[in-house]
Amino acid sequence: MPANTENTTKMAPGRAAAVEALRDVARVPGSPKPDPILVADQVSRQFGGLKAVDVTHVEIQRGAITALIGPNGAGKTTLFNLLTGFDNPDTGEWTFNKTPVAGKAPYRLARMGMVRTFQLTKALSRMTVMDNMLLGASGQSGERVFKALLPFTWKAQERANTERAMELLGRFNLDAKIDDFAGSLSGGQRKLLEMARALMVGPEIVMLDEPMAGVNPALTQSLLGHIKNIREEGTTVLFVEHDMDMVHDISDWVIVMAQGQIIAEGPPDAVMKDPQVIEAYLGSRHGSALTADGASLTADSQGGTT
Amino acid sequence: MDIGQVFTLTITQAFGVTALIYLFAAIGLNIQFGYTGLLNFGQVAFVAAGAYAVGVIVLTFDLSLWLSIVVALITSTLLALLLGIPTLRLRADYLAIVTIAASELLRLLVRSIAFKDVFGGAQGLNGKLGQEFHDLNPLPVDFTLPLLSWSRQDLWVVIVGWCLALLFTLFVWGLVRSPWGRVVKGIREDEDAVVSLGKNVFVYKLQALIIGGGIAAFGGILWAVAKQSVQPDTFQPDFTFFVFTILLLGGAARVFGPIVGTVIFWFLLAGFGEVLSSLINNGYIAFLTPTDVGSIRFMLMGLGLMLLMIFRPQGIFGDRRELALDAR
Ligand SMILES: Nc1ncnc2c1ncn2[C@@H]1O[C@H](COP(=O)(O)OP(=O)(O)OP(=O)(O)O)[C@@H](O)[C@H]1O
Ligand SMILES: [Mg+2]
């Protein structure tokens, strides 16, 4: 397979490790991974008569960038909601770092290191960009009501958090906006802020629901760089995206959903050539590949998203 | 028409005992609604809890006033838990419905015949409720104010009340500029976002409800002490609505919003009343009688509020920029 026969020596170490680890993984839905951070079994969720999610088995490799793709309404966001505890499944068990976490409150999962962003961006409008960021920091003693009134107990921690926030905001080109209300940011800037805020938590896995939607092409490139950096720093990334060029560019592994089920898995090149995947996206009449150089899916798939 | 007298009467009310009672309730509501976004439509229940704690402890059980302050805080905390635990996990509007219903329920409970021995039924509890407090009054016995028409007793309540109000304002200021305040403001903006960052939103909402309720209970304590009487029918839902009015007038989520709102609210209400009365008494408005004043001043107040909401929807202290963000 092309992606795996690439010379791993000229890759960044994180990428090389991910490619190496996934080299021998079977390219079938639900295939076991060598070092999964997240393992889910029989997760299903029904809305009225519609089975929005029906995942038999899925594993997410630690330290890799995994893309979750699929047509509109495939159940990607619903799966995110279930795994992060924001929605309750009808059936299913899943483990995070080998700990069973089904039924755990979403804030507990976030504290354990599983942090998600939302498809419809949730910037805290009437708070400044900096306050948005600081809210992300975990383990703040000043957030305890009895210590809140004693600033000397939390000032040092606040300074350290502010510094870390500045560094992250710089990376996401938001450092000029720290004192602006988050509600005054543009749609794309809010996406960036939400991602930076999620990283403030110090997650082990970040789950990004369409992080690139509405971000301009010039910035997309640097954002791709940031996401790759996140992996190089050892954080696992699971993201939903419709832009196939981008998926192709940064992901180590791709999982394809359609009608609630996982229909294919594999490295980006292989998955985008999979006839089943092409059919799910374009309908059976189309025969072309989904890769960047082939007939690109990018333009067609953008329409109904966000 | 004696403009000087109208003015002093108005000022007396704007900074007076009744205004203070509303002020405490508004400071509490500012934490709950202004900062945390909790739609507590039953704030009057917390005030009633404070007032009845004093009434029951001092009059029914003949115990110390100081003990009743502790009891008031325990009662208001229990009330907050009772209202909050079942509803704060649900959508915001549930709290609104439950709190307004609970406040009425509580009022009907304390005025019921069944508990007449404890709560005094419809007449409430009347007697020397604040004696221990008034015994501490350091003002000279024959003391009279040169301009304002507070009695020696009321002045003592007003002085202590305003000191407490400033203390609570300072307390709120400290809270909301801390990381704790940041979390509750985040909850007001978008609960799910705050949850996704690993904060136990439920606990913060409960804390806000308890703190805000506790401050409101001080309004009730003040009420019992100053008026030496606790009557169930003064704790009607309209009390809560006036508190909301005060908060919006001064600007929600502003540290000084409740103070500004209270003074303006009572200044206008009392001002309308005094001006109207003196106009009627001097025969300038022939078609009205002095008994109409009570309701007309509320009509004028309503008109004023409408104008405020149209021309300055963020309140006196509010920031218009913030309001514009809501629309997006
Ligand atoms: N709360 C809900 N109530 C009813 N149906 C829902 C609900 N949430 C999702 N659905 C349905 O479940 C299906 C999956 O929705 P989901 O949002 O997970 O899709 P998605 O893969 O994220 O799509 P997109 O790419 O458009 O974001 C859709 O058919 C949707 O209509
Ligand atoms: Mg989605």
Side-chain angles (χ1 to χ4, degrees):
Chain A
M1 287 294 144
N4 294 343
T5 49
E6 240 178 272
N7 183 3
T8 50
T9 52
K10 62 171 192 255
M11 293 179 190
R15 162 117 174 111
V19 168
E20 182 62 35
L22 291 166
R23 184 190 302 277
D24 300 320
V25 172
R27 282 97 200 257
V28 292
S31 63
K33 311 287 183 307
D35 180 17
I37 186 169
L38 192 62
V39 179
D41 276 297
Q42 308 296 347
V43 176
S44 72
R45 175 73 163 103
Q46 190 136 0
F47 291 116
L50 175 88
K51 203 138 201 182
V53 165
D54 188 10
V55 170
T56 322
H57 184 82
V58 68
E59 300 189 0
I60 308 295
Q61 171 68 14
R62 186 189 313 277
I65 299 179
T66 304
L68 181 61
I69 66 170
N72 292 130
K76 308 179 295 291
T77 299
T78 308
L79 182 62
F80 263 34
N81 288 345
L82 294 174
L83 293 178
T84 52
F86 278 84
D87 191 6
N88 297 315
D90 299 324
T91 67
E93 295 295 327
W94 62 101
T95 63
F96 174 63
N97 278 331
K98 301 205 170 66
T99 316
V101 290
K104 270 213 186 334
Y107 80 90
R108 283 192 189 280
L109 285 168
R111 276 189 201 168
M112 289 171 75
M114 192 164 151
V115 178
R116 58 96 49 103
T117 65
F118 297 87
Q119 182 168 5
L120 297 171
T121 324
K122 294 187 184 296
L124 306 168
S125 301
R126 288 180 296 175
M127 294 170 73
T128 65
V129 167
M130 182 49 89
D131 274 349
N132 265 265
M133 290 297 284
L134 290 174
L135 194 56
S138 38
Q140 298 186 55
S141 58
E143 287 181 354
R144 291 164 185 272
V145 70
F146 293 111
K147 287 198 175 168
L149 287 170
L150 311 169
F152 60 89
T153 61
W154 47 261
K155 268 283 182 299
Q157 199 182 22
E158 186 87 345
R159 258 194 302 276
N161 286 338
T162 308
E163 239 166 69
R164 203 157 64 84
M166 278 304 287
E167 190 266 323
L168 272 168
L169 286 173
R171 270 208 248 164
F172 287 87
N173 292 345
L174 286 171
D175 42 356
K177 299 271 183 190
I178 46 169
D179 293 324
D180 292 9
F181 282 125
S184 73
L185 297 181
S186 74
Q189 286 170 329
R190 289 184 210 195
K191 279 266 166 202
L192 297 176
L193 174 61
E194 200 186 23
M195 196 182 333
R197 193 176 65 194
L199 292 178
M200 260 320 264
V201 184
E204 275 187 62
I205 181 170
V206 274
M207 302 172 59
L208 310 168
D209 201 345
E210 304 202 13
M212 301 297 167
V215 176
N216 79 345
L219 201 52
T220 309
Q221 275 314 312
S222 74
L223 206 53
L224 289 183
H226 297 321
I227 296 181
K228 289 178 187 166
N229 271 338
I230 297 174
R231 172 189 55 196
E232 295 307 320
E233 286 159 12
T235 307
T236 309
V237 180
L238 176 65
F239 75 108
V240 173
E241 186 51 61
H242 285 286
D243 183 330
M244 288 303 147
D245 287 337
M246 193 193 133
V247 170
H248 190 261
D249 184 354
I250 64 165
S251 47
D252 304 311
W253 194 258
V254 180
I255 297 174
V256 189
M257 276 184 89
Q259 289 164 13
Q261 298 179 331
I262 293 178
I263 57 160
E265 268 193 45
D269 282 311
V271 161
M272 287 174 197
K273 290 198 187 91
D274 186 332
Q276 231 191 317
V277 176
I278 297 166
E279 188 187 318
Y281 259 95
L282 300 173
S284 49
R285 286 174 297 113
H286 295 260
S288 49
L290 299 180
T291 46
D293 20 298
S296 173
L297 188 68
T298 320
D300 316 78
S301 66
Q302 289 287 290
T305 62
T306 66
Chain B
M1 177 170 146
D2 185 352
I3 291 180
Q5 198 199 352
V6 166
F7 188 73
T8 49
L9 280 175
T10 303
I11 290 288
T12 307
Q13 291 193 52
F15 292 90
V17 174
T18 310
L20 272 167
I21 293 165
Y22 281 81
L23 175 54
F24 284 107
I27 295 174
L29 190 67
N30 200 22
I31 295 183
Q32 297 165 340
F33 172 72
Y35 290 101
T36 319
L38 300 177
L39 273 176
N40 172 15
F41 278 128
Q43 188 71 327
V44 69
F46 291 99
V47 180
Y52 268 96
V54 175
V56 170
I57 293 296
V58 174
L59 227 56
T60 311
F61 293 116
D62 203 16
L63 296 167
S64 159
L65 173 66
W66 313 119
L67 174 72
S68 75
I69 294 177
V70 179
V71 174
L73 290 179
I74 294 172
T75 314
S76 76
T77 304
L78 289 178
L79 185 62
L81 294 173
L82 200 71
L83 295 178
I85 288 175
T87 54
L88 286 177
R89 285 183 209 275
L90 304 171
R91 271 203 345 251
D93 18 354
Y94 285 92
L95 183 72
I97 298 165
V98 169
T99 46
I100 194 169
S103 74
E104 272 296 86
L105 202 89
L106 217 67
R107 182 175 69 82
L108 296 173
L109 191 88
V110 293
R111 86 193 293 284
S112 67
I113 310 270
F115 298 110
K116 198 171 190 311
D117 294 344
V118 186
F119 298 117
Q123 281 78 46
L125 299 161
N126 309 287
K128 294 204 168 294
L129 291 175
Q131 196 55 50
E132 284 168 84
F133 175 80
H134 294 298
D135 286 345
L136 298 179
N137 194 339
L139 301 167
V141 181
D142 54 353
F143 185 84
T144 47
L145 271 178
L147 267 173
L148 305 173
S149 49
W150 283 312
S151 66
R152 170 178 177 270
Q153 186 171 316
D154 278 353
L155 183 61
W156 174 225
V157 175
V158 166
I159 290 170
V160 174
W162 274 98
C163 288
L164 267 179
L166 290 175
L167 208 69
F168 283 135
T169 302
L170 191 73
F171 173 78
V172 171
W173 174 78
L175 266 186
V176 299
R177 62 192 278 280
S178 75
W180 185 89
R182 194 160 55 216
V183 177
V184 299
K185 281 182 239 170
I187 293 170
R188 177 192 68 198
E189 296 301 306
D190 193 316
E191 216 179 299
D192 279 346
V194 179
V195 169
S196 80
L197 299 171
K199 318 290 177 198
N200 189 351
V201 163
F202 175 70
V203 165
Y204 285 96
K205 290 204 277 191
L206 211 50
Q207 286 172 348
L209 198 61
I210 291 171
I211 295 172
I215 296 175
F218 269 93
I221 297 169
L222 196 83
W223 188 321
V225 166
K227 309 202 168 177
Q228 307 264 41
S229 135
V230 179
Q231 283 166 359
D233 292 340
T234 45
F235 303 108
Q236 306 257 8
D238 60 0
F239 181 98
T240 305
F241 297 132
F242 290 142
V243 177
F244 265 96
T245 306
I246 283 169
L247 194 58
L248 296 177
L249 206 59
R254 300 281 138 185
V255 171
F256 286 104
I259 293 184
V260 174
T262 302
V263 172
I264 292 175
F265 181 87
W266 283 101
F267 185 85
L268 291 180
L269 201 61
F272 288 146
E274 297 300 337
V275 170
L276 268 176
S277 299
S278 86
L279 285 177
I280 291 167
N281 290 338
N282 290 298
Y284 291 107
I285 309 177
F287 58 93
L288 291 175
T289 61
T291 46
D292 296 330
V293 170
S295 47
I296 289 179
R297 59 181 192 156
F298 278 108
M299 290 179 202
L300 288 172
M301 191 73 204
L303 188 70
L305 262 178
M306 273 158 72
L307 293 175
L308 180 89
M309 286 298 125
I310 291 165
F311 293 109
R312 211 179 152 75
Q314 69 275 37
I316 311 282
F317 256 41
D319 185 340
R320 187 150 206 152
R321 282 186 311 151
E322 287 190 20
L323 209 72
L325 296 174
D326 276 349
R328 296 172 61 130

